[in-house]
Amino acid sequence: MPSKSKPGLKREKQYLEKAQNVEERGNQRLGIMTSWAYWEDPKRLAFTFARYKFVAKMLSGCRHVLEVGCGDGFVSRVVAQEVGALTAIDFDQGFIDDANSRSSADDPWRITFKQHDMLENPVAGEFDGIFSLDVLEHIQPDREHVFLKNMIAPLTARGTVIIGMPSLQSQQYASPQSKQGHVNCKDQQEFRKLMLGHFHNVYMFSMNDEVVHTGYGAMSHYNIALCCGKIK
């Protein structure tokens, strides 16, 4: 009895090699959080990818970058495309296990995923770029300076840090689940003032949906601080 042929693309030749590659490797799985977003509110993935693309372009060419709070790490490879090496950490081992379960030795955008709690101590090593998206708002205000001090400790003197978080103004539209974890959202000016305690230069960007801009901060749904000139 002849074997049943595998389903695949058959009409356009330019896609045949790609289809065969996917059949051999299997479809890429979403991570824990990206699967949840795709199920509940798919457009959120567009916003997340846009944030990572901004980081990737700003840190393009960095030798070694650290991501703090990578979650399931599914979108981290957007940054990995632009930098020499990427180390991604999260305090929850479950996220790291999930990220590593989708990683392979022949992955062209290889990322080192590790468990680490930034409130305990800095990450060992040296990094010329560090970024953290959707993390600071989860840190209690009385611990934020500990978090930031440990985060930037391994940053080189000329390195760049990028931190993104929902604005204080956005919280009236946040879901009850989001509000439960968002204990430290800030107005854009308050956010800038916080970062000026750690850096000589802080440049603020606003974000509404997937659009990054320099518009009126009070109307920003999401704020991004690009920082350089670490204060010793």
Side-chain angles (χ1 to χ4, degrees), residues 87-105:
T87 295
I89 66 163
D90 199 279
F91 81 133
D92 194 319
Q93 184 65 47
F95 279 138
I96 299 304
D97 291 341
D98 179 49
N100 280 323
S101 73
R102 285 174 282 104
S103 182
S104 61

Side-chain angles (χ1 to χ4, degrees), residues 61-123:
C62 284
R63 180 185 58 81
H64 193 179
V65 170
L66 173 68
E67 178 180 7
V68 178
C70 63
D72 63 30
F74 185 82
V75 194
S76 301
R77 65 174 57 193
V78 174
V79 176
Q81 284 183 275
E82 293 282 345
V83 303
L86 176 62
T87 295
I89 66 163
D90 199 279
F91 81 133
D92 194 319
Q93 184 65 47
F95 279 138
I96 299 304
D97 291 341
D98 179 49
N100 280 323
S101 73
R102 285 174 282 104
S103 182
S104 61
D106 61 344
D107 190 335
W109 317 119
R110 185 70 174 167
I111 301 168
T112 300
F113 292 103
K114 302 193 297 187
Q115 189 277 336
H116 185 91
D117 188 343
M118 195 56 74
L119 288 172
E120 294 184 355
N121 52 272
V123 174

Side-chain angles (χ1 to χ4, degrees), residues 74-212:
F74 185 82
V75 194
S76 301
R77 65 174 57 193
V78 174
V79 176
Q81 284 183 275
E82 293 282 345
V83 303
L86 176 62
T87 295
I89 66 163
D90 199 279
F91 81 133
D92 194 319
Q93 184 65 47
F95 279 138
I96 299 304
D97 291 341
D98 179 49
N100 280 323
S101 73
R102 285 174 282 104
S103 182
S104 61
D106 61 344
D107 190 335
W109 317 119
R110 185 70 174 167
I111 301 168
T112 300
F113 292 103
K114 302 193 297 187
Q115 189 277 336
H116 185 91
D117 188 343
M118 195 56 74
L119 288 172
E120 294 184 355
N121 52 272
V123 174
E126 186 177 80
F127 304 89
D128 53 348
I130 299 175
F131 73 99
S132 181
L133 301 176
D134 299 287
V135 178
L136 185 57
E137 70 272 18
H138 296 273
I139 305 299
Q140 292 290 343
D142 63 346
R143 304 298 307 281
E144 64 186 14
H145 284 291
V146 173
F147 174 83
L148 290 170
K149 183 179 179 181
N150 287 340
M151 176 177 166
I152 68 177
L155 183 72
T156 59
R158 296 186 179 183
T160 301
V161 164
I162 301 174
I163 298 180
M165 63 187 298
S167 68
L168 181 63
Q169 290 85 349
S170 72
Q171 293 309 286
Q172 62 180 304
Y173 307 107
S175 67
Q177 184 180 25
S178 292
K179 288 181 179 180
Q180 185 177 4
H182 291 179
V183 298
N184 195 16
C185 290
K186 300 180 184 296
D187 174 86
Q188 189 176 101
Q189 290 305 311
E190 183 185 9
F191 186 15
R192 182 173 185 270
K193 182 178 179 180
L194 170 67
M195 300 313 299
L196 281 171
H198 297 270
F199 292 90
H200 292 291
N201 302 301
V202 177
Y203 306 98
M204 299 304 301
F205 295 85
S206 300
M207 193 170 186
N208 292 82
D209 291 351
E210 67 273 22
V211 179
V212 180

